[in-house]
Amino acid sequence: MPKGHTLQRNKAFKGESKRRAKQKSEGKLKKKIKKQEIKQTKNKDGQQEIQIEKKEKDQEQKVKVVKVVNTKIIAMFPMNQQANIAALKFQLMQHLNIQSVGVSSYCTQDCFLNVEANGKLIKQPLRFIFLDRNAEQILDACKVADIICPVLSCRDCNTNTISLDPHSNANAYDEQGYKLLSNLRAQGMVQQVCYIQDLNEINQSKKNVVKKLFTRYFESEFPGSHIVDDCSTLMRSVVVLHEQAVEWRDTHGYMLPDDLAYVNGELSITGTWRGQNGLSADQLVHITGVDDFQIARIELLGMIEQVYESNQPESLDPICRDKQHDIGDCDDLLKDIAGMQLQEEEEQMIEQESDVSYEDLDKEFEDEAQKKREQFEIVHRDPEDLDYEDEVEYGVEVKLRERYDKYQGLKNIRTSEFDPLTFLPDEAEKIYNFRFLKKIKQDVLEEMKQKEQIKPGQRIKITLRNVPELIVQRLTQPNKIYVISGLLKHERKMTQMHVRFHRHQMHNCVLKSKHQVFAQIGFRRAHINPIYSRILNNCSKTKYVKEIKDDTFYLASFYFYNSFPQQPVIFWQNDFDFRNNEIMGVGDIQRCDTFQVILKRIVLTGYPVKINKRKAVIRMMFFNPDDIKFFKPIELSTKLGLRGNILEPLGTHGLMKCMFNNFVKPNDVISLQLYKRVHPKFVNIQI
């Protein structure tokens, strides 16, 4: 053991070092506090200067622009057959001491009731719209309304048996009311004030029961709404509620006309411009249910009157006349499409000429065809009896290499690559392509704010040029509501639009591709011919379907004017269903891309005749050795999950030897899957 091993070593005294460390930390804290105080004083001074500058700018704008208080628009419509909107209008006029006004202008028609601000309860001008059971009028009025007021009448309520079966004896919503409700939900609803009518006609002992029952009906369909039963509470609720922002309509800007005038082909529309964005004289304007028009001039009404003439109006031509197809993208991907397509056509012609077999012209061809007919009896099956969804049937004499020459094989539709610039339609040279739609929308809105001449809330007079007289006759019909909305830049350009939608739960019919459909996209309505495709997970490609029989989400593709996202899309089968609220599908805009790859699949099926472990002889898929050689490079698959390849044809009747990755079973079905790119049908848009 060492000598110092038993010596005791005490811990050194650390009091002095702790005291010094504490003094250093306190000094650092004091310096930090002083720096923070200096920064805060600087920030406060800077913020005060910014606030003073903002106040000065606001005061300058107040001097230049006279602020106009927006009129609050309330749309009132019936939800059952017994609701009487005319009687409700008469009660409101009595409550507000308003005398009847003759029809002298557009805003003083029977369907309107204008209430001026009195400075007491009504601090904002009100405009009531009274509607009958017309789906088109109700949807258009709800596009511009700040508050919607559905009306239910309890006149036909059976009070004697209401406690036994409230649902069947209440007679609240009828079938048309529920259909209208589904249309309003698809379009989007603002603040709601629900009105119970004819409650005074109910027996006093049953009045509370009926009121609670109808309140429950309103709460189930309009959650969070104000429910009233007399004119005084109706007015109080309407005044208290604030306007709710709806992004898809506020970004465009809109107006409900106050007056119309037509002189020498020019239509003048007076009203208050609403929404979040303004308007310029070079923009296009859309009248819902009519068409798009150019602006000749805009007159600013009020204390400061000013006229803005149109200098460089946007073109109404939707077709692309130059080589610049892509908007928002630097690369012109469609620069040489015409040359590429001509080269492909020439190559196909050369291949067809080289593949001509003069032996087919031999007289023995008819005898061989007759033998094939006798050997193979093809029985046409119903679609329910087919082994695959996309299975096709064909005759013995059909040459598949000619019939399906535009099809090609893919190992996997999700993972296999497909060039989006190949197999483009001829219409690709006429339409525009928007690859980055959201970024383009942001740039358009920023440019619009810089160029706007009219701001929201200003009363204006818009003069439209080149308006046909027939359209003016439609606009001047009594008790007809029309909505004027502004179009953003590029929204008149033709493109290929893709909408993600699903079939409505109230629609049980089958939806077929390429059939004409009546659609509403934002403020626009038109006839379109969409094709439907199934959306694949983690894949940009979609799979074409002929029919839609379920309520899952699909992609509808069609040619239409460009529309930016976040606009509701509603489908009806035709005009008659639109007027009767027969909604077909609901969706939203996904993208506007000409290069979207939509693949149509067909399946050729065959059955094993002889099996030797992994090898098998397949028949009934082809009836010609040349067809077998043509489709030999494509991989085979079976219904039980096997993969295989064609080895060689056997004989002259369409038998072929195949090799698979496992033992083949006799009850298996052999399939060969082919894919072809498809596009929607290009038709003229009918509004």
Side-chain angles (χ1 to χ4, degrees):
M1 297 292 293
K3 185 176 180 182
H5 178 70
T6 57
L7 294 176
Q8 184 177 357
R9 293 180 180 179
N10 296 325
K11 202 170 184 181
F13 180 68
K14 294 183 179 180
E16 187 68 19
S17 61
K18 285 182 180 179
R19 185 176 61 80
R20 289 177 182 175
K22 189 176 180 181
Q23 288 177 354
K24 287 181 181 180
S25 62
E26 287 178 355
K28 289 180 181 179
L29 284 172
K30 287 179 181 178
K31 289 180 182 179
K32 285 182 180 179
I33 290 167
K34 286 181 180 179
K35 288 180 181 179
Q36 288 176 0
E37 288 177 354
I38 293 167
K39 286 182 180 179
Q40 286 177 1
T41 53
K42 287 182 179 180
N43 291 335
K44 284 181 180 178
D45 295 337
Q47 289 176 1
Q48 287 177 359
E49 290 178 359
I50 293 168
Q51 288 177 0
I52 291 167
E53 290 177 359
K54 284 184 178 180
K55 286 181 180 179
E56 290 177 355
K57 288 181 180 179
D58 292 339
Q59 288 176 0
E60 291 176 0
Q61 289 178 358
K62 286 178 182 179
V63 172
K64 291 180 181 179
V65 180
V66 178
K67 286 190 176 180
V68 180
V69 179
N70 281 344
T71 302
K72 190 178 289 186
I73 300 174
I74 303 99
M76 307 189 75
F77 51 88
M79 296 298 291
N80 58 6
Q81 190 66 34
Q82 294 75 29
N84 192 345
I85 298 298
L88 181 58
K89 179 184 177 182
F90 181 72
Q91 292 174 7
L92 265 176
M93 292 174 67
Q94 283 186 336
H95 177 74
L96 298 170
N97 295 324
I98 299 175
Q99 297 180 356
S100 60
V101 181
V103 178
S104 60
S105 63
Y106 181 84
C107 66
T108 57
Q109 298 184 84
D110 293 337
C111 62
F112 294 113
L113 178 63
N114 299 316
V115 181
E116 296 181 357
N118 55 14
K120 297 178 182 178
L121 176 64
I122 305 173
K123 297 181 180 180
Q124 186 178 0
L126 304 177
R127 188 174 184 183
F128 290 89
I129 307 175
F130 299 94
L131 306 160
D132 55 5
R133 309 202 80 184
N134 187 342
E136 181 180 1
Q137 294 289 87
I138 293 173
L139 287 177
D140 288 345
C142 291
K143 284 185 181 72
V144 297
D146 300 313
I147 299 171
I148 62 173
C149 182
V151 181
L152 273 180
S153 175
C154 56
R155 180 179 296 175
D156 287 353
C157 182
N158 192 352
T159 57
N160 296 325
T161 58
I162 193 171
S163 59
L164 299 176
D165 190 1
H167 180 70
S168 59
N169 294 318
N171 296 324
Y173 297 108
D174 55 6
E175 185 178 359
Q176 190 174 354
Y178 278 114
K179 291 178 181 179
L180 176 61
L181 186 61
S182 61
N183 282 331
L184 291 174
R185 283 175 176 165
Q187 180 176 273
M189 292 189 293
V190 291
Q191 299 280 11
Q192 307 109 28
V193 177
C194 304
Y195 190 86
I196 304 174
Q197 196 179 23
D198 300 327
L199 193 62
N200 296 327
E201 298 182 7
I202 303 297
N203 191 6
Q204 190 67 29
S205 61
K206 297 288 185 179
K207 187 179 290 187
N208 290 333
V209 178
V210 173
K211 185 177 179 180
K212 287 181 181 179
L213 179 61
F214 275 75
T215 302
R216 199 187 315 155
Y217 271 107
F218 274 129
E219 288 177 349
S220 63
E221 304 298 342
F222 300 95
S225 61
H226 291 223
I227 301 170
V228 298
D229 57 354
D230 58 355
C231 293
S232 61
T233 53
L234 172 65
M235 291 300 300
R236 199 178 298 115
S237 299
V238 164
V239 170
V240 168
L241 284 176
H242 297 284
E243 293 90 344
Q244 184 178 354
V246 182
E247 186 175 357
W248 68 268
R249 72 174 186 182
D250 291 343
T251 51
H252 289 78
Y254 57 96
M255 183 175 69
L256 184 65
D258 293 340
D259 198 5
L260 304 174
Y262 183 70
V263 179
N264 297 328
E266 291 186 345
L267 178 65
S268 298
I269 305 170
T270 306
T272 303
W273 192 254
R274 307 165 69 87
Q276 293 179 353
N277 293 324
L279 182 69
S280 66
D282 293 334
Q283 278 184 249
L284 297 178
V285 168
H286 177 76
I287 302 178
T288 301
V290 183
D291 204 353
D292 303 335
F293 299 96
Q294 289 180 334
I295 299 175
R297 59 188 170 275
I298 303 176
E299 299 178 23
L300 180 62
L301 306 178
M303 297 182 66
I304 301 175
E305 295 186 357
Q306 194 171 355
V307 180
Y308 299 98
E309 296 287 342
S310 178
N311 298 323
Q312 295 178 351
E314 193 171 347
S315 175
L316 286 171
D317 187 8
I319 304 301
C320 182
R321 304 295 180 186
D322 53 8
K323 294 183 179 180
Q324 187 62 31
H325 296 262
D326 281 15
I327 295 176
D329 196 357
C330 297
D331 298 326
D332 190 7
L333 298 178
L334 290 174
K335 188 176 181 180
D336 299 325
I337 285 179
M340 292 168 60
Q341 289 181 348
L342 288 173
Q343 289 180 2
E344 290 178 0
E345 291 177 0
E346 290 176 358
E347 291 175 359
Q348 289 178 2
M349 292 291 292
I350 294 169
E351 290 177 359
Q352 288 178 2
E353 290 177 0
S354 62
D355 291 341
V356 171
S357 178
Y358 294 97
E359 296 177 358
D360 294 339
L361 302 176
D362 196 6
K363 296 180 181 179
E364 298 178 357
F365 176 74
E366 296 181 359
D367 298 336
E368 292 180 1
Q370 185 65 29
K371 290 179 183 178
K372 292 175 184 177
R373 290 193 203 99
E374 294 175 357
Q375 184 175 0
F376 303 108
E377 295 181 0
I378 304 298
V379 179
H380 291 281
R381 296 170 291 175
D382 296 332
E384 299 176 354
D385 300 331
L386 297 176
D387 296 314
Y388 289 88
E389 180 185 2
D390 303 315
E391 186 177 349
V392 293
E393 291 188 322
Y394 40 87
V396 176
E397 299 177 357
V398 177
K399 296 180 181 179
L400 299 182
R401 63 185 182 278
E402 297 178 1
R403 184 172 181 179
Y404 301 123
D405 60 339
K406 294 183 180 179
Y407 287 81
Q408 64 183 29
L410 292 177
K411 189 172 184 180
N412 192 330
I413 189 173
R414 288 184 176 86
T415 58
S416 299
E417 294 184 0
F418 195 98
D419 189 2
L421 291 176
T422 57
F423 302 103
L424 288 171
D426 297 336
E427 291 80 12
E429 299 178 3
K430 304 176 184 178
I431 64 175
Y432 293 86
N433 183 46
F434 300 87
R435 307 207 78 182
F436 306 101
L437 204 58
K438 293 183 179 179
K439 181 64 172 63
I440 295 170
K441 182 181 178 182
Q442 292 177 1
D443 297 341
V444 166
L445 292 176
E446 289 177 1
E447 183 181 353
M448 184 178 170
K449 288 181 180 179
Q450 296 175 0
K451 295 182 178 181
E452 67 179 14
Q453 298 167 341
I454 302 300
K455 295 188 177 181
Q458 292 182 336
R459 186 171 176 78
I460 58 174
K461 181 180 180 181
I462 304 175
T463 303
L464 307 180
R465 61 177 64 168
N466 301 328
V467 181
E469 191 173 353
L470 291 174
I471 291 177
V472 178
Q473 292 177 3
R474 288 174 55 189
L475 294 173
T476 54
Q477 290 179 3
N479 297 326
K480 199 76 172 173
I481 296 171
Y482 288 96
V483 179
I484 289 87
S485 58
L487 292 180
L488 302 179
K489 189 178 179 181
H490 308 311
E491 283 198 328
R492 180 68 185 183
K493 292 180 171 62
M494 185 67 69
T495 184
Q496 186 174 328
M497 186 178 293
H498 306 282
V499 174
R500 182 176 177 268
F501 87 107
H502 65 90
R503 190 180 69 171
H504 197 267
Q505 58 186 1
M506 297 180 68
H507 188 86
N508 298 322
C509 298
V510 177
L511 311 185
K512 295 184 178 181
S513 291
K514 301 180 183 179
H515 281 214
Q516 193 179 68
V517 169
F518 191 67
Q520 175 178 285
I521 305 171
F523 286 104
R524 284 169 161 166
R525 284 197 295 265
H527 292 86
I528 59 173
N529 292 73
I531 62 172
Y532 306 122
S533 56
R534 184 175 287 112
I535 300 172
L536 306 175
N537 294 331
N538 301 324
C539 179
S540 60
K541 300 184 285 292
T542 58
K543 180 179 169 296
Y544 170 82
V545 293
K546 292 182 179 179
E547 297 177 344
I548 294 179
K549 300 179 181 179
D550 54 359
D551 298 338
T552 57
F553 280 95
Y554 287 87
L555 196 72
S557 304
F558 51 91
Y559 290 105
F560 194 69
Y561 303 128
N562 174 47
S563 299
F564 290 106
Q566 295 180 346
Q567 295 188 50
V569 181
I570 310 174
F571 291 151
W572 297 273
Q573 279 195 336
N574 46 46
D575 296 348
F576 180 77
D577 288 348
F578 165 61
R579 294 184 182 90
N580 292 320
N581 294 313
E582 296 285 348
I583 188 170
M584 189 187 79
V586 181
D588 56 347
I589 298 171
Q590 192 79 2
R591 53 187 172 273
C592 295
D593 190 2
T594 313
F595 303 125
Q596 172 64 39
V597 178
I598 305 171
L599 297 177
K600 179 182 179 181
R601 185 183 75 167
I602 63 168
V603 180
L604 310 180
T605 56
Y607 304 93
V609 180
K610 294 181 181 180
I611 299 174
N612 183 11
K613 296 182 180 178
R614 293 195 304 156
K615 292 182 180 180
V617 177
I618 309 301
R619 73 169 199 163
M620 302 297 287
M621 182 180 289
F622 301 106
F623 300 98
N624 194 326
D626 294 334
D627 291 341
I628 298 173
K629 293 177 183 177
F630 184 81
F631 292 103
K632 184 179 178 181
I634 301 175
E635 188 180 30
L636 299 175
S637 61
T638 70
K639 205 162 188 180
L640 298 180
L642 302 183
R643 296 279 180 177
N645 294 301
I646 300 173
L647 297 179
E648 59 181 355
L650 298 176
T652 60
H653 300 301
L655 298 178
M656 59 181 181
K657 186 187 292 184
C658 303
M659 171 75 80
F660 295 90
N661 60 350
N662 207 339
F663 293 170
V664 183
K665 296 182 179 180
N667 61 342
D668 207 348
V669 180
I670 315 301
S671 65
L672 187 143
Q673 300 181 7
L674 301 173
Y675 296 90
K676 181 184 75 170
R677 187 175 184 178
V678 293
H679 299 273
K681 186 178 179 181
F682 190 85
V683 294
N684 293 327
I685 296 175
Q686 301 176 5
I687 297 178

